[in-house]
């Protein structure tokens, strides 16, 4: 009796374990076969987002950086910009998916912003040109970000998916579509990237004077 | 003694004469006396260079957008010297809050501005008048 119960529990555990649900591994690399972290993989199979998460996402400003640098949210979701720095920031976006300007002063929080359209929102700061951030507004509920090794674990039902990376060549809004090869558990998708342009900051302009 | 008196009187006369030269300009704005926008641009560009080369001061500016700073300061200086501009940017308090600027570093920045004005060929008489206009802003910049 005990053996049977243990067996049943083990079976349930097996079914619940992530390995059973996430069975496909995708490797993202650049054109030089270097693993790419921070690639957003969105599955196109299944329904679009029906219920918008009520949770307000957070894009903070910490040490003159956006934190996180890349935020993935669902279409219709709101984002707060709390500004944990005790200095001012002028956050802006010229992106088609959502353009806005937010003047953040120390200790004066602003209302969250709703992102009604899916797409890529590139964030900058008028004051600190070194600050760059991205909000990926997804259409579908299954969205993943590649890790430091360029890997993402995807569910077994994965068929069609799109990839996006901040350094991809061409249109920043483009999400290139790919298909999973039948009967393969591992696959590689290559994204052609371009080195980012230098920023218009004092640090960048005068770096030869300070050795970095 | 007589010669010394003569020299002092001479000097006084020169001072009075100089003043006489300056006085009629009282109605002309500092902005125009300076030579308007081109001179202000020269000053700010030199100032940006001085900041960029200074190992301590660059630390405050490292992440800052050079063009944003340049445009903002040119307009602010133009407005401060009664030029035809309106400064609509952030206040000095809003800009400097949280930067924890020390008296020592503030003084260094003033020195850098003086160097920039020298490089732009601004006379010392005008420099003093410009600095006098800026001096009241000190308390809005330092240690806030």
């Amino acid at each position: 009796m005990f053996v049977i119960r243990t067996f049943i529990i083990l079976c349930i555990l097996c079914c619940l374990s992530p390995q059973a649900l996430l069975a496909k591994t995708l490797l993202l690399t650049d054109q030089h076969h270097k693993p790419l972290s921070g690639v957003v993989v969105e599955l196109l199979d299944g329904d679009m987002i029906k219920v918008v998460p009520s949770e307000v996402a957070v894009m903070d400003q910490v040490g003159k950086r956006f934190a996180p640098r890349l935020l993935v949210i669902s279409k219709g979701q709101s984002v707060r910009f709390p500004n944990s720095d005790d200095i001012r920031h002028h956050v802006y976006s010229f992106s088609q998916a959502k353009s806005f300007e937010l003047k953040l002063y120390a200790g004066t929080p602003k209302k969250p912003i709703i992102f009604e359209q899916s797409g890529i929102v590139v964030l900058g700061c008028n004051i600190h040109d070194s600050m760059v951030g991205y909000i990926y507004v997804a259409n579908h509920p299954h969205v993943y970000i590649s890790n430091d090794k360029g890997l993402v674990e995807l569910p077994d039902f994965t068929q069609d998916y799109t990839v996006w990376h901040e350094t991809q060549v061409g249109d920043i809004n483009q999400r290139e579509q790919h298909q999973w090869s039948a009967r393969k558990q591992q696959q590689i998708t290559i994204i052609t990237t371009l080195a980012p342009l230098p920023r218009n900051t004092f640090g960048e302009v005068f770096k030869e004077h300070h050795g970095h | 003694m007589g010669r010394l008196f003569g020299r002092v009187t001479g000097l006084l006369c020169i001072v009075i004469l100089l003043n006489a030269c300056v006085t009629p300009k009282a109605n002309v704005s500092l902005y125009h006396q300076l030579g308007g926008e081109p001179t202000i641009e020269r000053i700010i560009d030199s100032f940006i260079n001085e900041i960029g080369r200074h190992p301590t001061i660059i630390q405050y500016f490292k992440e800052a957008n050079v063009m944003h700073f340049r445009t903002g300061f040119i307009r602010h200086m133009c407005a401060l010297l009664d030029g035809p501009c309106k400064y609509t940017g952030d206040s000095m308090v809003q800009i400097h809050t949280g930067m924890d600027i020390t008296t020592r570093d503030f003084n260094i920045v003033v020195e850098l501005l003086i160097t920039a004005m020298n490089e732009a060929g601004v006379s010392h008489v005008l420099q003093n008048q410009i600095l006098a206009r800026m001096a009241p802003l000190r308390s809005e910049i330092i240690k806030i």
Side-chain angles (χ1 to χ4, degrees):
Chain A
M1 186 61 191
F2 176 73
V3 174
I4 292 168
R5 258 170 74 180
T6 312
F7 181 73
I8 291 168
I9 289 169
L10 267 176
C11 276
I12 292 168
L13 278 176
C14 279
C15 292
L16 289 176
S17 74
Q19 278 75 19
L21 289 170
L22 301 163
K24 286 176 171 166
T25 307
L26 179 63
L27 171 65
L28 286 313
T29 75
D30 66 10
Q31 64 273 34
H32 311 296
H33 311 293
K34 230 182 102 201
L36 264 184
S37 66
V39 176
V40 180
V41 180
E42 182 171 354
L43 304 195
L44 303 180
D45 315 306
D47 293 333
M48 304 259 237
I49 290 161
K50 280 185 186 143
V51 183
V52 177
S54 57
E55 181 204 344
V56 177
V58 176
M59 176 55 93
D60 205 351
Q61 294 71 50
V62 184
K64 297 175 190 167
R65 294 280 180 271
F66 283 108
R69 184 182 173 90
L70 168 66
L71 176 69
V72 175
I73 60 167
S74 301
K75 187 178 156 183
Q77 211 176 341
S78 297
V79 178
R80 279 194 305 130
F81 295 78
N83 189 11
S84 292
D85 278 344
D86 48 9
I87 52 161
R88 70 179 175 145
H89 291 298
H90 286 185
V91 178
Y92 68 82
S93 152
F94 295 127
S95 300
Q96 215 183 340
K98 184 82 188 179
S99 65
F100 65 94
E101 196 191 356
L102 211 53
K103 292 191 172 185
L104 302 168
Y105 300 106
T108 48
K110 290 275 165 78
K111 275 190 199 151
I113 289 178
I114 305 173
F115 292 80
E116 305 94 341
Q117 277 185 59
S118 63
I120 316 300
V121 180
V122 184
L123 304 174
C125 172
N126 280 324
I127 315 294
H128 309 103
D129 201 46
S130 49
M131 289 174 69
V132 186
Y134 301 90
I135 298 179
Y136 183 105
V137 190
N139 248 331
H140 298 81
H142 295 281
V143 191
Y144 306 86
I145 302 174
S146 64
N147 65 17
D148 290 348
K149 295 183 175 104
L151 295 170
V152 247
E153 299 289 322
L154 300 174
D156 210 25
F157 61 77
T158 299
Q159 282 176 13
D160 296 313
Y161 60 94
T162 59
V163 294
W164 174 89
H165 192 257
E166 60 167 89
T167 61
Q168 68 188 26
V169 289
D171 186 0
I172 190 77
N173 296 301
Q174 193 193 318
R175 280 146 286 165
E176 200 178 64
Q177 195 169 333
H178 294 267
Q179 203 168 34
W180 198 276
S181 308
R183 273 181 267 116
K184 272 172 83 179
Q185 289 309 103
Q186 275 139 36
Q187 183 161 304
I188 299 172
T189 297
I190 297 165
I191 298 174
T192 310
T193 62
L194 205 66
L197 291 168
R199 311 299 298 177
N200 186 237
T201 60
F202 279 81
E204 193 77 45
V205 173
F206 293 99
K207 68 178 165 197
E208 68 273 20
H209 292 283
H210 304 284
H212 39 76
Chain B
M1 182 68 187
R3 258 168 69 189
L4 182 69
F5 180 77
R7 262 166 86 174
V8 170
T9 319
L11 261 174
L12 267 175
C13 284
I14 290 168
V15 168
I16 289 163
L17 271 174
L18 272 175
N19 268 334
C21 285
V22 171
T23 318
K25 286 187 181 169
N27 294 331
V28 181
S29 70
L30 276 175
Y31 173 86
H32 284 110
Q33 290 182 53
L34 192 62
E37 183 119 352
T39 315
I40 292 184
E41 282 182 359
R42 272 208 304 278
I43 295 170
I44 306 301
D45 285 339
S46 280
F47 186 47
I48 287 170
N49 244 307
E50 293 298 322
I51 291 168
R53 289 156 184 261
H54 199 284
T56 312
I57 304 307
I58 182 81
Q59 302 308 323
Y60 290 95
F61 287 83
K62 219 169 209 166
E63 319 294 336
N65 185 324
V66 180
M67 281 320 287
H68 183 86
F69 174 79
R70 185 181 187 272
T71 313
F73 200 5
I74 287 172
R75 191 169 291 185
H76 191 208
M77 200 177 219
C78 168
L80 213 57
L81 306 181
D82 305 321
C85 322
K86 210 168 175 181
Y87 177 67
T88 52
D90 284 345
S91 71
M92 291 302 107
V93 173
Q94 284 171 329
I95 290 173
H96 299 92
T97 295
M99 285 191 181
D100 298 319
I101 299 166
T102 60
T103 311
R104 189 178 160 270
D105 290 348
F106 177 86
N107 291 340
I108 294 173
V109 174
V110 175
E111 288 299 324
L112 297 184
L113 184 61
I114 291 169
T115 309
M117 289 196 284
N118 284 332
E119 282 171 5
V122 181
S123 74
H124 288 174
V125 178
L126 261 177
Q127 281 190 30
N128 286 338
Q129 286 174 281
I130 293 168
L131 291 172
R133 289 285 176 96
M134 292 185 151
L137 301 173
R138 185 181 185 273
S139 62
E140 297 175 20
I141 291 171
I142 214 163
K143 287 180 192 162
I144 50 169

